[in-house]
Amino acid sequence: MTDPADRPHYKRVMLKVSGEALMGDQGYGLHPPTVARIAEEVKSVHEMGVEVCMVIGGGNIFRGLQGSAQGMERTTADYMGMLATVMNALAMQAALETVGVFTRVVSAIPMDQICEPYIRRRAVRHLEKKRVCIFTAGTGNPYFTTDTAAALRASEMACDAIFMGKNGVDGVYDKDPRQNADAKRYDKISYDEALSRNLKVMDTSALALARDNNLPIIVFGLDQPGGFRSILAGEGPHTIVER
């Protein structure tokens, strides 16, 4: 019999991971042990019977906004950032399949030799077959972040919630807890308050999209071992953003 503490509160979830989360203690690129640890986190949730979608940023390799700020044309910079997310997705796929989790990388930009094109019905079928779907290349359009891609795909896949895995923080605070010892963590906050106070839950377009689709956002510390599984079981520090 399953322990009640291990019964997930959600059936299908979107896990958003920043590209920086894959760097480990490096300043750039992929840190294989960190990628492997996150894969184990996903596997532990997958074994609970939860259907898992993922979106991974590309900031550990290239960030479009930074490229644009340095004089590169914004559209080109954003497409380069999308390609960085594909590299991260392939690394995560390899790590997940190493630990026995069947995975599909699904790209908003067709590149048939290395991943599948995004077709909503096919992606839903993968989830129903208990495969982890990693959605990559953002929305396929410049000027949109991977936060927006996560909110969009979570809505299209009818996810129950978006899980924002953070490094160094375990929820939403009124100010940066890494620089302010008196920072206050919210257990629950509304979309509108997060937007009006600019609390950096995710970018404003993504947050508004989640609000409009009544999609809860759970912000937690992905760098805490077992954190993803414990949050799904209703335990551990986190912040819920909802109406």
Side-chain angles (χ1 to χ4, degrees):
M1 181 177 290
T2 303
D3 187 328
D6 286 337
R7 291 175 187 165
H9 289 199
Y10 303 98
K11 179 179 182 293
R12 180 180 294 171
V13 301
M14 167 63 71
L15 174 63
K16 169 60 169 63
V17 180
S18 69
E20 289 85 351
L22 306 185
M23 294 191 305
D25 55 4
Q26 301 175 152
Y28 176 83
L30 289 158
H31 184 238
T34 299
V35 177
R37 180 186 62 76
I38 295 174
E40 288 286 355
E41 294 280 327
V42 174
K43 178 185 178 181
S44 70
V45 167
H46 185 262
E47 289 176 340
M48 296 170 75
V50 177
E51 297 170 2
V52 181
C53 308
M54 296 182 71
V55 166
I56 305 173
N60 57 317
I61 299 172
F62 188 87
R63 184 180 292 278
L65 273 174
Q66 289 178 351
S68 176
Q70 294 172 10
M72 186 178 292
E73 194 268 328
R74 174 66 187 271
T75 301
T76 298
D78 279 355
Y79 278 123
M80 291 175 66
M82 291 179 214
L83 294 175
T85 72
V86 177
M87 295 172 68
N88 286 339
L90 293 173
M92 184 58 65
Q93 179 185 42
L96 283 165
E97 293 191 340
T98 295
V99 295
V101 178
F102 292 110
T103 309
R104 294 292 185 272
V105 174
V106 182
S107 174
I109 299 174
M111 45 188 82
D112 296 344
Q113 289 181 301
I114 58 174
C115 51
E116 294 184 7
Y118 174 68
I119 300 171
R120 189 185 67 83
R121 287 180 177 270
R122 182 188 292 177
V124 169
R125 187 63 178 144
H126 286 321
L127 292 171
E128 291 171 348
K129 289 183 175 181
K130 307 305 178 185
R131 298 164 181 157
V132 170
C133 276
I134 306 175
F135 297 101
T136 192
T139 66
N141 299 290
Y143 296 94
F144 291 94
T145 67
T146 49
D147 282 355
T148 302
L152 175 63
R153 297 296 183 234
S155 299
E156 291 178 303
M157 295 297 106
C159 291
D160 299 317
I162 301 173
F163 282 72
M164 297 289 293
K166 301 286 189 179
N167 271 9
V169 293
D170 56 6
V172 178
Y173 286 78
D174 60 350
K175 47 191 169 184
D176 191 340
R178 291 165 292 192
Q179 299 177 4
N180 302 275
D182 60 342
K184 173 189 173 185
R185 179 172 58 80
Y186 299 98
D187 291 326
K188 181 178 177 180
I189 192 169
S190 71
Y191 301 110
D192 289 337
E193 187 174 359
L195 282 165
S196 65
R197 299 187 63 182
N198 195 28
L199 291 176
K200 307 295 185 185
V201 175
M202 56 196 328
D203 77 62
T204 55
S205 297
L207 191 53
L209 181 58
R211 178 193 62 190
D212 293 346
N213 289 282
N214 200 26
L215 192 59
I217 303 165
I218 291 87
V219 183
F220 71 104
L222 188 60
D223 52 353
Q224 299 297 317
F228 189 22
R229 182 185 179 98
S230 66
I231 299 302
L232 272 158
E235 303 171 354
H238 62 280
T239 299
I240 298 179
V241 185
E242 58 185 2
R243 291 196 187 281

